[in-house]
Amino acid sequence: MSDVLFLAHRVPFPPDRGDKIRSFHVLQHLAARHRVHLVTFADETGDVDPPAAFTDLLRSCTVIPRAKSQKRAAIESLLTGRPVSLAAFADPRIAAAIGRVRAAHPIAATYVFSGQMAQYLDDGRAVMDFVDMDSAKFAGLAKDQRGPMRWMLRREARLLGRFERMVAARVSVSLFVSDAEAALFRRSGGQGRILTVENGIDTVAYDPAAIVPIRAPHPLIVFTGQMDYRPNIDAVRWFADEILPLVRAKHPEALFAIVGRAPTAAVLALGERDGVIVTGAVPDTRGWLAAATVCVAPLKLARGIQNKVLEAMAMARPVVATTAAAEGIDHDGTIRVAADATGFANAVSTVIDQPDDAAMLGRAARARVQARYGWAARLAPLDSLIGGQA
């Protein structure tokens, strides 16, 4: 059993949002095989002191509150010529904590979760988990902007892409969450050993037989996600503006529930419309998934594997997703994929109109994730990567 340093841009607990779900399961997998030392940031005061249920997995745990504002990070970025993403997570306290861990323990390998933390790499063995190609995300966001914001996003994409390629050439292996992301990185000029390690799903926790649905009118269309995240905001606005009216023309009683923490003002405003519910944070999204007539993922910009889709599939719900949201998932036809608003609305309406077929589709989706997306199988490649075997 060796010592592994795990660097993460936010505390991997609780596993209640996309990046934290992956980082928690990776860390849990590694901790069963190595002595893991975690150094990470806390986004909120409640994250500074994680519970024993989490810290007991670790040999040591250092959590540093992240207090730097986005404005300050942007100014530092412009002054130094670095990406904002790196400036936002540049903190001498983190560097000092990493130095103490390396001085006190014989670190055999470093696992870096997300590109923001790659600035703390040393010359030892390292596994770089990019998850998604963040530079491509910023390039995509820039397309819908004008003026200074478009310039800033295009600058971020360019500088971050250069940094990603530099890191990949330096580390032992670079990981991406899907073959599509890995291929995109290679096409962008990424070098070195590049592998895919997909996300999984806990089909015991996400089991419709074990969850009591919330009480809600039907038909109920459910979207889940972090609602201050730009791609999620754009997704629900598009659905509410262009897709839901088409669905409600056939099914006037249909309701669209936006389920997730930290809704922005733009998202909250959608809740004032007829047929739209904005829940904010809920104790457990599984109750909403269990109650859904159909779950939707109308993302125009999506990177890697969408956990929201895997969760809905595991809960045996029929899913309708955009091409972008479905791209990284090997669903074998067990979800419906639509390319535009009309196709999306028609797919949702068909699910509502044909409950027996919808139930069959949901059962097939759950069977698919059970067979294809168990965490143990998805993370098995890490054993040889951390152990240093070929």
Side-chain angles (χ1 to χ4, degrees), residues 351-370:
V351 169
I352 295 172
D353 286 332
Q354 301 174 2
D356 291 341
D357 289 347
M360 187 181 303
L361 184 66
R363 290 193 295 270
R366 175 168 171 79
R368 183 60 180 168
V369 295
Q370 285 178 305

Side-chain angles (χ1 to χ4, degrees), residues 14 16 55 69 94 96 104 109 111 143 168 185 214 253 268 272 292 313 326 332-333 349 354 363-364 379 382-383 388:
D16 58 0
T55 57
S69 68
I94 286 284
Y111 192 99
K143 294 177 181 178
F185 186 63
I214 59 103
E253 71 283 13
L268 290 171
E272 300 175 4
M313 292 173 70
D332 195 30
S349 294
Q354 301 174 2
R363 290 193 295 270
L379 298 181
L382 296 182
D383 297 340

Side-chain angles (χ1 to χ4, degrees), residues 27-49:
L27 186 148
Q28 185 181 54
H29 183 91
L30 296 179
R33 297 157 176 81
H34 305 276
R35 294 181 295 269
V36 175
H37 305 269
L38 172 66
V39 179
T40 185
F41 283 101
D43 286 338
E44 304 173 1
T45 55
D47 292 338
V48 174
D49 188 20

Side-chain angles (χ1 to χ4, degrees), residues 86-375:
L86 299 189
F89 289 86
D91 192 317
R93 297 172 299 169
I94 286 284
I98 293 170
R100 289 192 296 270
V101 172
R102 286 177 172 151
H105 304 279
I107 300 300
T110 300
Y111 192 99
V112 185
F113 186 86
S114 81
Q116 298 96 321
M117 300 302 287
Q119 60 190 299
Y120 299 107
L121 280 167
D122 68 357
D123 294 328
R125 182 175 183 80
V127 174
M128 179 65 241
D129 192 347
F130 284 109
V131 189
D132 306 321
M133 190 175 164
D134 281 347
S135 58
K137 176 185 69 178
F138 286 109
L141 290 171
K143 294 177 181 178
D144 295 329
Q145 298 295 318
R146 295 290 182 269
M149 181 56 71
R150 182 175 187 178
W151 178 86
M152 197 70 178
L153 288 169
R154 292 178 69 178
R155 173 186 184 273
E156 186 72 6
R158 183 180 70 257
L159 295 180
L160 194 56
R162 184 187 305 162
F163 178 75
E164 290 167 342
R165 292 188 293 273
M166 179 188 71
V167 170
R170 177 182 175 186
V171 297
S172 303
V173 60
S174 296
L175 306 182
F176 289 89
V177 74
S178 70
D179 289 338
E181 289 293 299
L184 179 62
F185 186 63
R186 291 189 187 97
R187 290 197 300 273
S188 78
Q191 300 293 318
R193 191 179 182 194
I194 301 168
L195 299 179
T196 299
V197 173
E198 296 175 320
N199 278 358
I201 182 71
D202 184 346
T203 55
V204 175
Y206 284 86
D207 182 350
I211 302 299
V212 177
I214 59 103
R215 290 189 176 185
H218 284 75
L220 181 64
I221 305 164
V222 172
F223 175 94
T224 60
Q226 182 78 14
M227 293 318 306
D228 59 357
Y229 180 53
R230 170 70 184 280
N232 286 344
I233 297 168
D234 290 347
V236 297
R237 292 180 67 179
W238 180 52
F239 190 91
D241 288 344
E242 299 188 33
I243 300 171
L244 185 61
L246 299 177
V247 174
R248 283 173 63 87
K250 297 180 180 179
H251 302 278
E253 71 283 13
L255 293 177
F256 176 42
I258 302 169
V259 182
R261 69 164 65 85
T264 63
V267 176
L268 290 171
L270 297 178
E272 300 175 4
R273 301 186 187 183
D274 188 30
V276 180
I277 303 168
V278 178
T279 69
V282 297
D284 193 336
T285 60
R286 293 175 298 175
W288 284 88
L289 293 174
T293 306
V294 55
C295 295
V296 294
L299 292 109
K300 292 185 174 181
L301 178 64
R303 306 243 60 90
I305 291 179
Q306 293 298 308
N307 289 299
K308 59 173 59 66
V309 175
L310 291 183
E311 290 167 358
M313 292 173 70
M315 290 294 291
R317 306 320 303 146
V319 177
V320 180
T322 56
T323 304
E327 182 181 36
I329 297 176
D330 182 10
H331 56 83
D332 195 30
T334 60
I335 66 175
R336 296 291 176 255
V337 180
D340 56 26
T342 300
F344 208 112
N346 288 340
V348 170
S349 294
T350 298
V351 169
I352 295 172
D353 286 332
Q354 301 174 2
D356 291 341
D357 289 347
M360 187 181 303
L361 184 66
R363 290 193 295 270
R366 175 168 171 79
R368 183 60 180 168
V369 295
Q370 285 178 305
R372 178 70 173 75
Y373 285 103
W375 274 112

